[in-house]
Amino acid sequence: MVQDIAATPPSAELGLKRAVGTPLLFAFIVGDTLGAGIYTLVGSMATDVGGVIWLPLLIALVVALLTAGTYAELITKYPHAGGAARYVDRAFGIPYLSFLVGFLMMASGITTAAALANAFAGDYLAALIDVPSAPAAVVFIILLTLINLRGVRESLTANLIASIIEVSGLVIVIVVAGIVFGSGNGDPSRLIEFAPDVAPLQGAFAASIVAFFSFLGFEAAANMAEEVRNPSKAYPRALFGAIATAAVVYLLIAIGAVIVLPPAELAESTGPLLDVVAGSGVPIPEWLFGLIALVAIANGALLFMVMASRVGYGLAEADLLPHAFARVLPNRRTPWVSIVVVAAATIGLTLIGDVSTLAETTVLLLILVFLSANVSLLVLKKDKVDHAHFSVPRIVPVLAIIASLVLLAQQSGIVWLGSVGYVVVGSVLYLIARAGRKREQRAARQ
């Protein structure tokens, strides 16, 4: 019989180690959010909305805050690894549905890491060294996998250092934009100029998909629940603090980038923030900023791989994936099988996908996950637990559902096709795991 994954406690001996406090959790979410999204996708937003990049960022911020409120209640109410899959199981008790939500979450982490690996091996790396992109991306993923295997504290400590570096890069962009604006060389009038060939409302919602990718990070934190000390207090503080920090930085970056460079130039760039720094005239070596951008991209990829591997662990603990995914290293207590599988899948997607399509696929997968979490919260509002937890009004998940449906309507056919492919693969894995459970049950009865 499948366990109640919302109620199953982690094993005292073999479970994950609670080694993460509020500062490290805050750094985890900030580092996951202030990463490759803003470093690589400013140009994509400029294509859709011209200089009004701040508008899709505000739309994405509203959606992120609504869903973050839902997650803050669910995480603090049910602090277990597995994230949305556990909440769906608690609300509906349908093993296949629980598995599918968890698998889509795991797939989103893998897809994001693949997108970031491609971004890492692209123009930013080319500014430092001329190497073939595909081998560079593979080596990059292997190195991140070794860090992940080392342990969650090591992964998050690396994240803390990388977060400081990547935020310094964003501060550089903000400062140089301020210098340009203060000298009278910038053009703030671009901030209200929409793309000439795209209807403003259509462009804003289309760009909000890319902007939403830049805010991803809070959902990954849900899967660290079994490794956080005092989650009822730590999560709300770290969650909303990180989103607020990201919002301020992103809006300043968007405004500064448009003031320094025309939207058309941003739209044509694969390293837009590098071009902003170069176009400012401030004497900052391109190789230095390129290095900072690479650290930011690597940081985001590491954190999404950590998240995906923990989702796999949580699903295996719930008997929804083969038990091997729950195996942990004896001393490090990291889920090594899940980590290795995530790494292999990430390498495969890196070799066949491109940054833009993978990013859009991630957004679609996560919106589906967010829909399931918001619906689950409405069902679970009446459920009582024996500890204090964060709570939001019912209107919050309702508004989050509406906003998510609007974003889903903006997705392209090819992205929907890729997501259907994930559902098919997940369904096959679920059937394999179920067959394995039945064999174990028959053996136990004999």
Side-chain angles (χ1 to χ4, degrees):
M1 181 178 179
V2 178
Q3 303 173 29
D4 176 359
I5 63 175
T8 305
S11 169
E13 294 184 3
L14 299 178
L16 304 180
K17 184 178 181 180
R18 291 192 179 274
V20 181
T22 302
L24 271 181
L25 182 62
F26 172 81
F28 178 93
I29 303 173
V30 169
D32 211 2
T33 304
L34 292 179
I38 201 67
Y39 272 96
T40 62
L41 299 174
V42 168
S44 298
M45 287 187 278
T47 301
D48 292 318
V49 294
V52 196
I53 300 177
W54 50 269
L55 180 57
L57 284 171
L58 287 177
I59 294 173
L61 173 62
V62 170
V63 179
L65 285 173
L66 289 172
T67 302
T70 291
Y71 269 81
E73 177 166 343
L74 290 171
I75 292 169
T76 57
K77 198 172 184 179
Y78 312 110
H80 304 281
R86 286 187 181 267
Y87 314 143
V88 169
D89 185 81
R90 186 86 181 207
F92 302 104
I94 303 175
Y96 172 70
L97 183 60
S98 303
F99 167 80
L100 191 58
V101 170
F103 182 78
L104 291 180
M105 189 71 203
M106 184 177 181
S108 73
I110 294 170
T111 306
T112 302
L116 300 187
N118 278 335
F120 182 94
D123 290 345
Y124 282 119
L125 182 61
L128 298 179
I129 184 173
D130 185 16
V131 294
S133 59
V138 172
V139 171
F140 169 71
I141 294 169
I142 292 173
L143 291 176
L144 295 186
T145 301
L146 294 176
I147 296 174
N148 196 1
L149 286 169
R150 179 73 178 172
V152 66
R153 176 172 289 276
E154 287 76 5
S155 297
L156 297 191
T157 299
N159 159 250
L160 181 59
I161 297 171
S163 295
I164 294 172
I165 295 173
E166 69 185 40
V167 169
S168 70
L170 298 178
V171 170
I172 288 174
V173 175
I174 294 170
V175 170
V176 299
I179 293 173
V180 171
F181 178 73
S183 66
N185 293 326
D187 186 359
S189 67
R190 299 175 187 142
L191 293 170
I192 57 174
E193 295 178 357
F194 282 91
D197 300 326
V198 183
L201 189 60
Q202 176 187 348
F205 280 111
S208 65
I209 297 174
V210 174
F212 194 63
F213 181 85
S214 299
F215 279 102
L216 299 181
F218 63 86
E219 82 296 331
N223 300 286
M224 304 298 297
E226 288 187 22
E227 295 167 280
V228 174
R229 297 191 298 268
N230 196 1
S232 292
K233 290 184 178 180
Y235 264 103
R237 295 173 182 175
L239 188 60
F240 292 109
I243 292 177
T245 300
V248 171
V249 173
Y250 284 169
L251 289 172
L252 290 175
I253 289 290
I255 292 170
V258 173
I259 288 176
V260 174
L261 291 180
E265 291 188 26
L266 292 172
E268 295 175 357
S269 175
T270 56
L273 298 192
L274 181 62
D275 289 347
V276 169
V277 172
S280 69
V282 178
I284 296 176
E286 289 191 19
W287 67 266
L288 176 60
F289 190 82
L291 182 60
I292 293 173
L294 290 177
V295 171
I297 293 169
N299 192 33
L302 172 62
L303 296 182
F304 274 103
M305 290 178 71
V306 169
M307 176 274 288
S309 62
R310 269 49 179 191
V311 174
Y313 168 86
L315 290 174
E317 282 278 280
D319 289 333
L320 298 175
L321 273 179
H323 292 162
F325 281 78
R327 292 178 183 170
V328 297
L329 292 175
N331 296 325
R332 291 292 168 182
R333 294 169 64 183
T334 51
W336 70 271
V337 173
S338 187
I339 289 171
V340 171
V341 172
V342 165
T346 301
I347 290 174
L349 282 178
T350 298
L351 297 177
I352 64 174
D354 61 82
V355 175
S356 179
T357 302
L358 290 171
E360 292 179 15
T361 303
T362 295
V363 171
L364 191 151
L365 293 171
L366 287 180
I367 290 175
L368 294 175
V369 172
F370 294 161
L371 275 172
S372 71
N374 283 300
V375 173
S376 296
L377 178 58
L378 291 175
V379 175
L380 293 170
K381 272 291 186 178
K382 63 182 184 297
D383 191 29
K384 304 298 180 183
V385 295
D386 59 359
H387 63 271
H389 61 85
F390 186 84
S391 182
V392 294
R394 289 181 180 272
I395 189 62
V396 170
V398 170
L399 291 176
I401 289 170
I402 294 172
S404 296
L405 291 174
V406 172
L407 288 182
L408 283 178
Q410 312 303 314
Q411 295 283 4
S412 65
I414 187 65
V415 174
W416 275 105
L417 184 61
S419 298
V420 170
Y422 274 123
V423 172
V424 172
V425 172
S427 298
V428 171
L429 290 176
Y430 175 79
L431 292 174
I432 293 173
R434 189 174 69 171
R437 289 196 304 271
K438 289 183 178 179
R439 285 196 299 270
E440 291 176 359
Q441 291 167 0
R442 286 196 298 268
R445 289 194 296 266
Q446 294 175 355

